[in-house]
Each structure stands twice: as C-alpha cells, then as structure tokens.
Amino acid sequence: MGKIKWGILLSLYLYNVLPFGSLAGQAQHRHHREGHPAAAIVSGRVSSTEGGAVQAVDFATVYLKGGHSGGTTDEQGRYRLKTRPGDYTLVVSAIGYETFEKPLSLKRGERLNLDITLTPQAQTLDEVTVVATGVNRVKRSAYNAVAVDTREMQNSTKNLSDALAKAPGMKLRESGGVGSDMQLMLDGFSGKHVKVFIDGVPQEGVGSSFGLNNIPISFADRIEIYKGVVPVGFGTDAIGGVINIVTNKQRRNWFLDAAYSYGSFNTHKSYLNFGQSFKSGLTYEINLFQNYSDNNYWVDADHVEQWNADGSSIITDEVFRVRRFNDTYHNEAVVAKVGVTDKPWADRLMLGFTYSQMYKEIQTGVRQHTVFGEKHRRGHSLMPSLEYRKRDLLTRGLDLTLTANYNRNVTHNIDTASYRYNWLGERRLNTNGRGEQSEQYARAYNDNWNATATLNYRIGRAHTLTFNHVWNAFHRTNSSLLTGAEIKDEFAKETRKNISGLSYRLMPSDRWNLSAFGKYYHQYVSGPVATDDKGTDYVLVERTVQQFGYGAAGTYFVLPGLQAKLSYERACRLPTIEEMFGDEDLESGQVDLRPEKSHNVNLNLSYARTIGPHSFYIEGSLIYRNTRDYIQRNIQDLSGGKENATYTNYGKVVTKGYNLSARYGLARLLSLGGNFSQMDVRDMEPYQIGSTGNSTPNLTYKARMANVPYLFADSDINLYWHDLGRKGNLLTLTYDNQYLHSFCYNSEVIGTNSSDYMIPDQFSHNLSISYSLHNGRYNLAFECRNFTDEKLYDNFSLQKAGRAFYGKIRVHFGD
C-alpha cells in the first residue's frame, strides 16, 4: 500500500507542477488549436546517410522556433507539426548531429512535406567510416545499451546469434551445430534471464524453429541490446537484459533480397525477402528462409561403451575420433505481412502470418557421453499477428502502439528405438525394452497468446510519460501416441502473466536526460506435481504470485564525446514456460519455482572522437547484480546412466564484472576493434538450501557458479577496397577471433583439479572475404570458420564443429 500511495502522490505532483501546465489543460488547448481550420501542417522524415546508407534518426527533437509546436521523431524518423499560419524557423537537433535550421512561411491550410537529412558532427562522410553505425537512439538512451548494425554482415553466412556474439559482455553458447540448443549469456546471466523481442514484440513460445540461431542475418536491420536495467516500453520481466531485433520498416517502393549459401557438413541456407509499398499506402512484405545440415562433424568421444560377443559391455578410457551420425536438422519459415501505412487513422497497420516447421535428430543427451542413434523431434508453428501504430492519437504528443499474436505450436518427441547405440555407430538390442532415453511417442500442443499496449505522451520538449502493459497466456496439453490411439494426459499446464509499467522521462537538453519507472508483475500457474518418487501419481497445483519493481536511469554528456550512464533497478523475473514445465523430453520443469528478485546496478562510460580520417570509440561498463531465488539449471542423473536437466531456486547469487570495448576506423579503409569481459558470478548462500534452521554450511559458499564462463574476449579487423574493378564495387576482408578462458561445468569445489569437469581454454579464428558489385546489387562471399581447427566446447562439455568452409551468393534489387 505504501508503494501505491507514493505512486499516487507522484502522479498528482507531476499533474500540477510540470512546466507546460496540467495535462488536462494541455490536451484541451491542443485539441482546440489543432482542430482550427486555418492550421498549417509540416511533416516529413528525418534521416542521415551515416555509414553510407540512409537510416532514420529517431527521437530527434523537432520544433518551430517562434511558435509552440514541437516534439520528437518516431522510430521511423517521422515527425508531424500543426500550427497557425505565420513565419517560423524549423529546428531539428539530435545527439551526434549538426543542428538543422530552415526558415518557413506557412500559409492558411498549407500541408508542407519536408524531409531532412542530418549531418554527423565533426566528420565528413566521404572520408570517414562511422564507428558503431545505426545506434544513435540507443546512445542517447539513459539505459546501458549497445547496438549491432547487421548491414555490414549481410553478405556473410552468419545468423542473428552470431552477430550478437560481437557485442560487449555477450557470449553465444550452443550445444552443437546448426539447429542445436542455444543460449545467450549477457553479463553473467544466460538463458531465460535474457528476453528476446522482434520490433518490441516478445518472442515467448514461438518455437525452436524461430530461434535466433536459425534466423538469417538479413532479417534484421540492427540488433539492440539492453543490458541489465530495461526500459518500461518492453514490458518485460528480464533480469539479465533484453535483445530487440529491429527490422527495416522504411517505406520502400519495391525491393528483393535473395541469398543462398552452401558449406561444410552438407549445410544449405537460403533467404528470400521481397515487398512493395504503393502510393495508396498499401504495403506488403514476405520473408522466407530455410536451414539444413547433416551436422556430421568430427568429435572426440571418451567413455565409449562397447559390447562383447556375449552381450556384455565394457567402457574404455580410449579417446575415439568419430563423426556425429544422428544429428540432421532442417527448418523452414515464412513470415508474411500486409497492411497500410501513413493513413490519418494509422501510421502503420499490419496483419502478419508466420509459419515455421523443423525436424531435429537428437545425437546426445545433456552430456556428450550419452549418445542416441534414432531419437528425434519434429514440430510446426502457426502464428497470426496484428500491429497498430498511431502517432498523435486524439491529441498531439500521444502515441499508441498495439501488438497481438497467437501461436499454435505442435511438437512431437519420438524415442521408440529397440536398440542402444555407441559413438562408433554400433548398436545392440536394448534388453530393457524400447527407448534410448525413455520410451515415448508424445505430442505436445502449445497455445500461446500475447498482447502488448504502449502509450507515450510527450509533454512539450522535455517530458515524456510511458505506460506499457503486456498480457501473456500459455496452455499445454500432452498426448501419448505409443498405442496408435491418442491418449491425453489428465492435467494441462497453464500460465498467465500480466506486467504493467509506468515511466517518466525528463530530457531538458541534448546533454542529459533521466528516466524513473515502476513495474507490477502478476503470474498465475497451474500444473501437475508428482506425489511419489517414481513420478506415477500427480495432483494439480495452482498458485499466484505478485511482485513490484522500480528503478531509474540517467545519462550525461560530460564532454561532447564523453558520455556517462548510470542505472539501477529492483527487478523481478517470473519463471518461464520451459523452467516450470520443461520440454517434455530432456528437460524437467518445476511448477513451484519462485520468481527471481534482483538489485541491478550498471555504470557505463563511453568516448567517441573523430580526427580527420581517424575515428575512435572506447567504452567501459561496471555491472553488479544481487539475486535472490536465482533459478539454476542442473543435471540430474537417472537410472541406466541417463541424465536430464532440472531447474531449482538457489538462494543468493552475486554477480560483479566489467566490460571493455574499443574500436578504431581509418577513413573507408580500415576498421578494427574488440571486446573483453570478466564476470564473477558466485554462490553467496552461507547455508544449504532446505537445511533445518540454517544449520548445515553450504560447501560451495563463495565459489563460482557452475557452468558459467567468467572470462572471454573477441576482436576483429576489417579491410575495405572501394571501387575495385569499377566504381561502386567493394572488396572486404575480415579476420575475427573468440577467446574463452577455462571454467568448471560442475562446482569448482569438486572439479577444480579434475579435467573431467573442466571446459578448456579456447581460441578460435575465422576468415572471410566478400566482393560486392554494382553498389551491392550482386554479392559473393567465402568464409573459413575455426581455420586452426580448435577443439571447441560449450554447455557440459558438448563439442562443437571444427574447421568449416562456406560460400554465399546474394542479390539485392530495388530501394
């Protein structure tokens, strides 16, 4: 009640003392003025040619000097001002750009369309390759955020997760090759701690076939990464951060982008994106992509089980060099959108439809010594969606964004083999019956509903209020098809959550701004819980949780190129579907998991400078997280030498760390840089969880958390030859590397001195060369990944691919 009381008092305070008058009075005054028949309208789009390509400048300040009309551009860089006839000066300003001014003489009823191109400060675009392009709004944000511009990678065979691995504090973790399970680790947090969005829409329940490691790089225009404290506009319960995939929403007359690549392990990837915008405002766009790979790369297998002639088995210490043989993966997806843009009643109204399907053979369990020869999974997903955006709804300064989608995902898990396999591809009859892990032919129906609403109200030039609400509902039913007839489980698994957030942003000048916010979390969960150790009897358990969160973030430009950011949040993360209900196969859920609660602090300093043809950028961040009821993924041993993954609340975990990032550019000839991260994630619970009266000391107290990399780095160098062969051609040569320091995948108290529990030091290297002709119309690329054939490992010692080669062709037509 105390928090609610203070929230009401703050609202009343803002209502009465904001310098532009009361909100109600402002709304009435604006409505009267804008409805005047003599009003003139000035509208258009603010952009820049930063990095050699046209891009929108969002959140730029636009106002008429000599009048009372003003505001900021939206995410497409658009603005719209309405005022009385007269003489004015249009002023446009944004951090990192020269201020634009243009005298205007507006007549009665005039509608003037004026597009504006801003020039970056202290640099000539013909001579300087701008460092960190496409990140202007993120830089001006008070939140600790960076962005990855994907345009320079679109000729490569990278997917979105590969691109993310280049960001400071980001580590990509995969369990194998194409289509394998993937986690992104961000500043010491991984998996479900980091939430993924596409154009601000949460991607919960979309299915594995639409995971970040399956989506091609050309799908995104840029990738925004919010670390730790997250803006209210995302309406999420993330603790580790948010990844927002931003697609190209610019209005284009027509375009076509197509690519195909082929490489090692019989890997095929293709992508097709085309669309059109008509003068009437009708717009359509279609994305299609697919991935296929045999994933038959070589691995080192130890503890290999072999069978004697009499049927007895023996496990040797010999290490075998073997090929993976039950790991084929393919997925296909189509994303179609149709709608209208730039209408009086809608800036953007789009109806969408997404279909995806996948087939995945499962080679190993959660550890590599467990091997399967026939186990596999398949599934498909259908998702209709709606997007609506309207700027200046009912009154100037009020913007509305609505999104909604429904996802129907059906997954089959098939484990009915009558044989057991080893890493040599040998097999023997399974004397314990069918099933390599556990006999099943199961179907899971997953229904996921999601809706978001965001209201932004700009009050004059300095004040913005944002309200966001996210509603999500999930329902899963399971069936067994082992007998030929479908037998449904008695209990369904359900969850519903609502997250509301309200923030206030103060931006009195381009030099500093401040945001403060509060959040409310509500979750309902219903699911079966076993009443016996064998897991044969279940009862339905229901529970409801409620939490509050709050925080603040600010930024200040100490010097024109020196920016400081500080943010704090009392955060809450609700358990996810996977953590509560598992995947009905290799991962077991825990219905009664408690939400994680965390104090998060981020401090960031960055400095950018351009001197003639030289550009410099350096950034450093300090991170602190104090988390209660940390949700940890563990490995549970089962009978018959099998394992599965489980989730549990784990007391108190403290994360302390830092990131360093630097980049240098020389005109249009050279770009080089790198990132270094060190994260100390430690168990700070002094007593064993569940011990009576806190009487049993925790043996891992102050030890590093298991299976969490704590020191890693990457670097790259890019060389450019412009107009090679003819004007408009570009040859690019890129070298990059990744370093990972050794760490324990079990508790370091147990495994520090044993190689059996250690992931070794790893240092991998990649080379790529691409040639672009006719200003990017035709493109050829060749890549060699891990060219030193380093042995790479990840989650629980699962080995990844060695040296691999890939080639790609790409064509691009239209706008």
Side-chain angles (χ1 to χ4, degrees):
M1 288 300 294
K3 295 176 181 176
I4 296 175
K5 175 183 177 182
W6 282 109
I8 294 173
L9 292 175
L10 175 61
S11 300
L12 292 174
Y13 173 79
L14 294 175
Y15 183 90
N16 287 284
V17 305
L18 287 178
F20 292 87
S22 71
L23 303 187
Q26 281 287 321
Q28 292 172 2
H29 178 65
R30 287 173 178 158
H31 179 75
H32 174 75
R33 183 176 67 241
E34 294 182 1
H36 198 284
I41 297 175
V42 183
S43 62
R45 184 170 178 269
V46 179
S47 60
S48 77
T49 54
E50 197 172 1
V54 177
Q55 63 178 23
V57 178
D58 47 4
F59 282 87
T61 301
V62 184
Y63 67 97
L64 292 172
K65 187 187 297 183
H68 300 283
S69 294
T72 58
T73 58
D74 65 10
E75 61 183 9
Q76 284 84 43
R78 293 176 299 184
Y79 72 94
R80 186 172 184 269
L81 306 177
K82 184 176 288 189
T83 189
R84 296 179 182 274
D87 295 328
Y88 304 95
T89 298
L90 178 67
V91 181
V92 182
S93 63
I95 293 296
Y97 296 99
E98 301 287 351
T99 299
F100 173 92
E101 295 191 13
K102 182 180 178 63
L104 299 177
S105 181
L106 300 176
K107 300 177 182 179
R108 177 187 179 93
E110 182 177 4
R111 293 177 176 268
L112 177 63
N113 185 275
L114 184 61
D115 292 336
I116 299 159
T117 301
L118 298 182
T119 301
Q121 291 178 336
Q123 58 194 25
T124 304
L125 290 177
D126 291 338
E127 299 179 357
V128 178
T129 297
V130 180
V131 176
T133 59
V135 299
N136 296 293
R137 180 175 70 85
V138 181
K139 281 184 179 179
R140 291 193 297 273
S141 167
Y143 299 92
N144 185 11
V146 296
V148 177
D149 190 342
T150 64
R151 289 172 297 180
E152 292 185 359
M153 306 180 196
Q154 291 185 357
N155 289 332
S156 72
T157 60
K158 289 182 170 64
N159 51 47
L160 292 184
S161 59
D162 293 327
L164 283 165
K166 306 303 295 180
M170 184 71 74
K171 179 73 177 70
L172 171 64
R173 307 184 69 187
E174 290 182 292
S175 61
V178 175
S180 62
D181 294 335
M182 181 272 300
Q183 288 186 343
L184 288 168
M185 194 180 85
L186 178 59
D187 289 347
F189 282 98
S190 62
K192 312 305 184 295
H193 296 97
V194 182
K195 303 291 185 179
V196 178
F197 291 73
I198 295 181
D199 292 327
V201 179
Q203 296 300 291
E204 294 187 52
V206 296
S208 61
S209 60
F210 216 73
L212 291 180
N213 58 338
N214 293 324
I215 303 177
I217 193 69
S218 299
F219 186 82
D221 192 55
R222 69 176 186 271
I223 309 173
E224 299 176 345
I225 305 165
Y226 292 84
K227 306 166 74 174
V229 182
V230 177
V232 161
F234 287 108
T236 185
D237 55 334
I239 283 183
V242 155
I243 294 166
N244 186 35
I245 310 301
V246 182
T247 62
N248 191 337
K249 292 189 178 65
Q250 297 180 17
R251 183 169 176 172
R252 294 173 283 179
N253 290 332
W254 73 276
F255 63 93
L256 183 146
D257 192 354
Y260 169 76
S261 69
Y262 172 76
S264 298
F265 323 121
N266 195 28
T267 301
H268 304 259
K269 297 184 178 183
S270 57
Y271 173 76
L272 177 63
N273 176 215
F274 62 93
Q276 194 172 7
S277 295
F278 300 92
K279 291 183 179 180
S280 63
L282 178 65
T283 300
Y284 74 89
E285 180 177 354
I286 297 178
N287 273 283
L288 302 100
F289 61 87
Q290 63 82 218
N291 302 278
Y292 176 92
S293 181
D294 291 339
N295 286 320
N296 57 341
Y297 58 88
W298 293 90
V299 297
D300 294 331
D302 56 5
H303 299 93
V304 175
E305 183 180 18
Q306 294 179 276
W307 299 289
N308 299 317
D310 61 0
S312 61
S313 63
I314 182 173
I315 297 178
T316 66
D317 292 332
E318 182 180 356
V319 177
F320 294 87
R321 184 73 169 166
V322 298
R323 275 191 182 273
R324 297 169 73 100
F325 59 90
N326 183 51
D327 205 19
T328 296
Y329 175 86
H330 67 83
N331 79 303
E332 298 80 29
V334 55
V335 182
K337 293 183 179 181
V338 62
V340 294
T341 59
D342 299 326
K343 294 294 183 180
W345 41 270
D347 295 330
R348 182 177 174 88
L349 174 62
M350 302 294 290
L351 298 175
F353 178 82
T354 300
Y355 173 79
S356 61
Q357 63 181 17
M358 67 89 180
Y359 171 83
K360 176 180 174 61
E361 294 176 347
I362 301 174
Q363 178 73 90
T364 69
V366 292
R367 290 197 182 103
Q368 188 162 295
H369 61 251
T370 302
V371 59
F372 304 126
E374 298 181 37
K375 185 176 172 64
H376 62 281
R377 180 181 301 156
R378 69 174 187 267
H380 67 269
S381 176
L382 295 167
M383 184 172 70
S385 62
L386 170 69
E387 175 191 359
Y388 175 79
R389 300 176 187 270
K390 180 66 179 77
R391 188 174 171 85
D392 295 329
L393 177 71
L394 302 179
T395 183
R396 183 167 57 85
L398 181 64
D399 303 339
L400 172 66
T401 299
L402 297 172
T403 68
N405 61 65
Y406 162 70
N407 181 46
R408 172 73 162 182
N409 177 270
V410 181
T411 301
H412 293 81
N413 288 301
I414 298 99
D415 187 3
T416 57
S418 300
Y419 298 91
R420 291 179 59 185
Y421 290 79
N422 65 13
W423 269 116
L424 303 177
E426 301 168 344
R427 70 180 189 178
R428 73 162 185 174
L429 192 67
N430 190 348
T431 58
N432 296 322
R434 297 198 306 168
E436 299 178 82
Q437 169 87 1
S438 60
E439 183 183 9
Q440 68 167 325
Y441 184 2
R443 178 188 292 157
Y445 297 95
N446 301 292
D447 295 291
N448 196 85
W449 295 265
N450 191 85
T452 68
T454 304
L455 280 169
N456 280 291
Y457 188 36
R458 302 181 304 278
I459 310 166
R461 294 177 52 198
H463 309 275
T464 303
L465 291 173
T466 299
F467 172 79
N468 176 275
H469 183 80
V470 171
W471 172 79
N472 176 267
F474 174 82
H475 181 274
R476 175 187 291 170
T477 55
N478 298 302
S479 300
S480 174
L481 305 175
L482 278 173
T483 63
E486 184 172 4
I487 302 175
K488 292 187 177 182
D489 286 358
E490 181 182 358
F491 301 115
K493 300 173 181 179
E494 297 182 68
T495 180
R496 294 189 297 272
K497 68 179 181 180
N498 289 272
I499 303 173
S500 299
L502 178 65
S503 73
Y504 165 68
R505 183 188 187 191
L506 172 65
M507 190 175 180
S509 73
D510 289 342
R511 191 168 184 179
W512 69 276
N513 65 80
L514 174 69
S515 295
F517 60 87
K519 292 182 179 180
Y520 169 73
Y521 311 86
H522 179 275
Q523 185 180 43
Y524 164 81
V525 180
S526 173
V529 173
T531 58
D532 61 347
D533 295 336
K534 297 180 180 180
T536 57
D537 294 322
Y538 292 86
V539 295
L540 186 66
V541 174
E542 298 178 296
R543 64 186 181 88
T544 300
V545 296
Q546 299 181 73
Q547 294 288 335
F548 289 91
Y550 50 88
T555 184
Y556 180 71
F557 282 85
V558 183
L559 298 171
L562 179 62
Q563 183 181 16
K565 295 183 179 184
L566 178 64
S567 58
Y568 162 79
E569 182 178 15
R570 177 68 165 96
C572 170
R573 185 180 77 85
L574 303 172
T576 65
I577 296 165
E578 292 81 3
E579 291 167 336
M580 292 184 295
F581 305 139
D583 67 353
E584 310 299 337
D585 187 14
L586 297 176
E587 303 220 349
S588 300
Q590 186 76 16
V591 174
D592 57 355
L593 283 175
R594 297 183 299 277
E596 291 181 331
K597 297 171 285 294
S598 177
H599 294 278
N600 300 339
V601 180
N602 297 274
L603 174 63
N604 177 272
L605 289 173
S606 63
Y607 180 70
R609 180 74 185 274
T610 299
I611 305 174
H614 307 278
S615 58
F616 306 88
Y617 183 79
I618 186 169
E619 177 182 340
S621 297
L622 295 176
I623 298 99
Y624 174 81
R625 311 272 189 275
N626 188 333
T627 308
R628 286 282 185 182
D629 290 326
Y630 181 90
I631 298 176
Q632 184 180 25
R633 183 177 183 264
N634 297 312
I635 299 301
Q636 174 179 291
D637 293 319
L638 304 175
S639 61
K642 305 298 191 301
E643 313 96 4
N644 70 349
T646 62
Y647 294 90
T648 184
N649 286 113
Y650 192 86
K652 180 179 179 181
V653 174
V654 173
T655 300
K656 300 175 183 178
Y658 64 91
N659 299 313
L660 296 174
S661 180
R663 185 156 293 278
Y664 165 74
L666 174 61
R668 299 194 300 166
L669 305 176
L670 168 71
S671 173
L672 62 90
N675 306 296
F676 178 87
S677 300
Q678 183 164 356
M679 294 295 145
D680 195 16
V681 185
R682 294 192 178 267
D683 178 357
M684 299 304 292
E685 186 66 38
Y687 301 100
Q688 286 188 14
I689 303 298
S691 62
T692 304
N694 292 333
S695 58
T696 306
N698 178 15
L699 297 179
T700 61
Y701 178 52
K702 294 188 177 180
R704 295 187 192 275
M705 295 297 291
N707 197 37
V708 178
Y710 64 89
L711 193 155
F712 47 93
D714 67 84
S715 64
D716 63 82
I717 180 170
N718 305 272
L719 300 173
Y720 307 96
W721 286 268
H722 290 266
D723 302 325
L724 183 65
R726 63 172 292 177
K727 187 175 179 60
N729 293 357
L730 172 64
L731 179 71
T732 304
L733 178 64
T734 299
Y735 160 77
D736 65 88
N737 58 53
Q738 293 85 37
Y739 170 76
L740 176 66
H741 189 64
S742 61
F743 64 96
C744 290
Y745 67 79
N746 209 326
S747 171
E748 65 178 2
V749 174
I750 300 172
T752 301
N753 299 317
S754 173
S755 60
D756 291 339
Y757 298 102
M758 295 294 293
I759 303 294
D761 290 345
Q762 300 168 52
F763 193 26
S764 63
H765 311 265
N766 310 305
L767 275 175
S768 68
I769 184 170
S770 66
Y771 189 42
S772 177
L773 300 91
H774 293 277
N775 294 308
R777 178 172 293 181
Y778 309 104
N779 306 273
L780 300 170
F782 178 78
E783 299 177 47
C784 179
R785 297 191 185 182
N786 190 14
F787 62 77
T788 58
D789 205 22
E790 181 83 3
K791 293 180 180 179
L792 305 178
Y793 300 87
D794 223 317
N795 296 328
F796 296 103
S797 75
L798 296 172
Q799 191 170 351
K800 299 190 290 185
R803 185 186 298 115
F805 299 92
Y806 300 93
K808 179 177 180 178
I809 58 174
R810 174 175 173 253
V811 295
H812 178 83
F813 298 97
D815 296 346

